[in-house]
Amino acid sequence: MPWELIVSLCRIMVLLYVSSCDSFLNRSDDDIENINNPLDGLSDPFDLIEDEYGHRNGSYCGECSPELCPVVQGCRAGLIWDNCGCCQECGNLEGQTCDLGDINAFYGLCGTDLECKIDHLDVGEVAEPQCVCSSQDAVCASDGITYMNICKFKEATFSNASIEIMNNGPCKTVPIIKVPPQNLVNVTGSCMVFLCEVFAFPMALVEWKKDGKDIILPGDDPHISVQSRGGPQKYELSSWLQIEEADLADAGTYRCVARNELGNISATAVLGVLGPEEMSVYLAESMKEMLEYGLSEREYDEDYY
């Protein structure tokens, strides 16, 4: 494009811009001072935001017409008022995030017998408020199940309205193994640990035995130890059997036995102890099986689609 043409076009654009600017009225300083501030008259600037959601003056909510409220069903934590205080909605369950205070703004309010609290022991970056049952005492229901608090019991009544509270405290029951020991395979000289978690009331006694024998471990074996503590939940007991520097003689079937005055229960796990060469072969075969399994899954997906 010739240079003279480019210069001409630029001059035309400048003239158009100037003429368009002249078509707008300029504001003087006095005019600017007289412009109304939309925040004037508000004691708290956040009133404007809260008005939008109807938290303060209800301008967003409008007139309450209860007959227009939707029918709410299946609220396992009971009913709460919505952010306008007009209609009812489902309250938040135990463990759900909630709004602190009495304003139903973002997450919602907790249901019946629940409180919104912040767990200051939370290791996360930001501790969020969660619904917590106001009573943490267990109850025994007519279905024979122990509910860890009244809130859990009320949730269950929505699935089975016929159940009733028989007594405060847990139901008496024979031990129940919640987490049984798992089979283990490792090389000689390594450390092996079995875990067994048991629920029972009255509390259970947990013992470890090996290969069907009645000898209670650890016996007089210095490289075997047993430790137990309460938890992770109430009325539960966790027990560990640890074998340090395992050798070939430690291989076998180990049994976790839990008993109380109402009965006993057991669960078994197999321990395999291999020499270094055998362990290498075992790992190679295990890896081959995993790869073959993954390949078969992929082929299945390809055939399916």
Side-chain angles (χ1 to χ4, degrees):
M1 178 180 294
W3 176 252
E4 294 81 7
L5 181 58
I6 295 176
V7 173
S8 300
L9 289 174
C10 292
R11 289 175 178 175
I12 294 173
M13 293 176 65
V14 171
L15 291 174
L16 288 174
Y17 176 78
V18 172
S19 62
S20 63
C21 291
D22 291 340
S23 63
F24 291 99
L25 295 176
N26 292 324
R27 292 184 181 273
S28 64
D29 294 339
D30 294 335
D31 293 332
I32 295 176
E33 292 178 356
N34 293 329
I35 296 177
N36 292 328
N37 188 341
L39 297 181
D40 288 345
L42 294 178
S43 58
D44 184 353
F46 287 99
D47 285 345
L48 186 64
I49 300 175
E50 291 178 349
D51 280 351
E52 181 181 354
Y53 291 96
H55 295 165
R56 294 254 179 128
N57 59 19
S59 61
Y60 174 80
C61 297
E63 184 178 354
C64 178
S65 301
E67 66 276 6
L68 300 180
C69 294
V71 178
V72 184
Q73 296 179 341
C75 298
R76 292 182 292 163
L79 298 172
I80 61 171
W81 293 106
D82 62 10
N83 60 338
C84 294
C86 178
C87 300
Q88 289 188 312
E89 60 187 20
C90 291
N92 289 357
L93 295 167
E94 186 175 19
Q96 290 185 327
T97 307
C98 52
D99 291 320
L100 291 169
D102 299 327
I103 298 178
N104 184 352
F106 302 103
Y107 301 111
L109 301 179
C110 299
T112 308
D113 297 319
L114 291 159
E115 299 175 328
C116 189
K117 293 183 177 181
I118 295 178
D119 184 1
H120 295 288
L121 298 179
D122 193 344
V123 296
E125 294 183 0
V126 179
E128 293 185 339
Q130 292 186 341
C131 295
V132 179
C133 193
S134 56
S135 172
Q136 291 299 318
D137 295 329
V139 295
C140 177
S142 56
D143 57 358
I145 297 176
T146 296
Y147 296 93
M148 291 306 169
N149 54 51
I150 188 65
C151 303
K152 293 297 184 185
F153 168 77
K154 288 185 175 181
E155 287 185 38
T157 59
F158 280 89
S159 302
N160 184 1
S162 64
I163 60 174
E164 300 176 349
I165 295 178
M166 300 301 294
N167 58 267
N168 294 325
C171 303
K172 289 188 175 183
T173 178
V174 297
I176 300 171
I177 295 181
K178 304 291 288 291
V179 178
Q182 303 295 311
N183 296 336
L184 297 174
V185 178
N186 213 331
V187 68
T188 52
S190 59
C191 179
M192 315 283 197
V193 179
F194 287 114
L195 167 65
C196 188
E197 291 183 5
V198 178
F199 171 85
F201 187 78
M203 289 292 289
L205 171 68
V206 178
E207 299 172 337
W208 292 88
K209 299 180 179 181
K210 181 187 177 186
D211 293 336
K213 299 178 182 179
D214 290 332
I215 300 175
I216 299 175
L217 300 175
D220 57 357
D221 197 327
H223 80 297
I224 297 179
S225 60
V226 173
Q227 296 181 355
S228 299
R229 68 169 179 81
Q233 302 294 330
K234 288 192 297 185
Y235 313 108
E236 290 185 0
L237 184 71
S238 297
S239 182
W240 294 268
L241 182 140
Q242 179 173 306
I243 304 173
E244 296 185 12
E245 298 182 358
D247 56 34
L248 299 178
D250 292 316
T253 301
Y254 289 80
R255 184 158 50 107
C256 166
V257 182
R259 61 165 53 90
N260 65 5
E261 61 187 46
L262 301 177
N264 63 81
I265 190 174
S266 65
T268 61
V270 176
L271 173 62
V273 183
L274 305 176
E277 294 182 0
E278 293 175 308
M279 192 66 188
S280 297
V281 174
Y282 173 80
L283 291 175
E285 292 178 351
S286 299
M287 184 63 67
K288 181 180 178 182
E289 291 178 359
M290 291 176 60
L291 292 174
E292 290 177 349
Y293 176 78
L295 180 60
S296 63
E297 286 290 313
R298 185 165 59 253
E299 289 176 346
Y300 174 80
D301 292 341
E302 291 174 354
D303 292 341
Y304 181 78
Y305 291 104

